[in-house]
Amino acid sequence: MKIEQIIDAIQKSRIRITDHAVEEAQAADLIVSDVYFAVCNGEIIEDYPNDKPYPSCLIFGQSSAGLPIHSVWAYNEANNWAVLITVYSPDPNRWINFRKRIPK
């Protein structure tokens, strides 16, 4: 999966946001525009090509205020829609530069 596919879906409003993502965004005091900004200026840090029903990935980016944001996206290549599965503010005690998981 390429981040450009997800960015294109965002720009063309071909997005589905799960209830779980809405709940997690609210819990982390994140708004959708911050998530979109983070994706459009972010990078894929983990790829999950075997996820079902669609391949997915973890994207790291920052809000316009510079706050780190992780979001998990699935992408349906058949119709070019992206699905925001979850979003959260990453715990700095669990991530190296918010890009690599700290081994347990």
Side-chain angles (χ1 to χ4, degrees):
M1 176 180 322
K2 296 179 181 171
I3 196 167
E4 291 81 13
Q5 293 171 302
I6 296 169
I7 292 169
D8 185 63
I10 289 170
Q11 292 172 339
K12 294 180 178 167
S13 298
R14 293 189 315 258
I15 300 293
R16 179 178 173 266
I17 301 174
T18 65
D19 291 341
H20 176 74
V22 170
E23 292 167 6
E24 293 298 308
Q26 289 173 343
D29 290 324
L30 297 171
I31 57 174
V32 174
S33 61
D34 281 338
V35 176
Y36 291 167
F37 184 88
V39 170
C40 291
N41 297 284
E43 62 186 287
I44 294 175
I45 58 171
E46 293 182 359
D47 204 11
Y48 315 120
N50 298 319
D51 273 1
K52 301 290 181 202
Y54 312 112
S56 66
C57 64
L58 174 61
I59 295 176
F60 163 70
Q62 295 179 327
S63 70
S64 58
L67 300 173
I69 297 175
H70 279 179
S71 55
V72 177
W73 292 83
Y75 187 76
N76 180 344
E77 289 198 17
N79 63 14
N80 300 315
W81 275 72
V83 180
L84 176 58
I85 298 169
T86 193
V87 61
Y88 58 92
S89 297
D91 180 348
N93 296 315
R94 297 181 65 199
W95 293 89
I96 299 168
N97 295 327
F98 302 112
R99 289 174 176 84
K100 184 175 179 180
R101 293 178 194 268
I102 294 173
K104 292 183 180 183

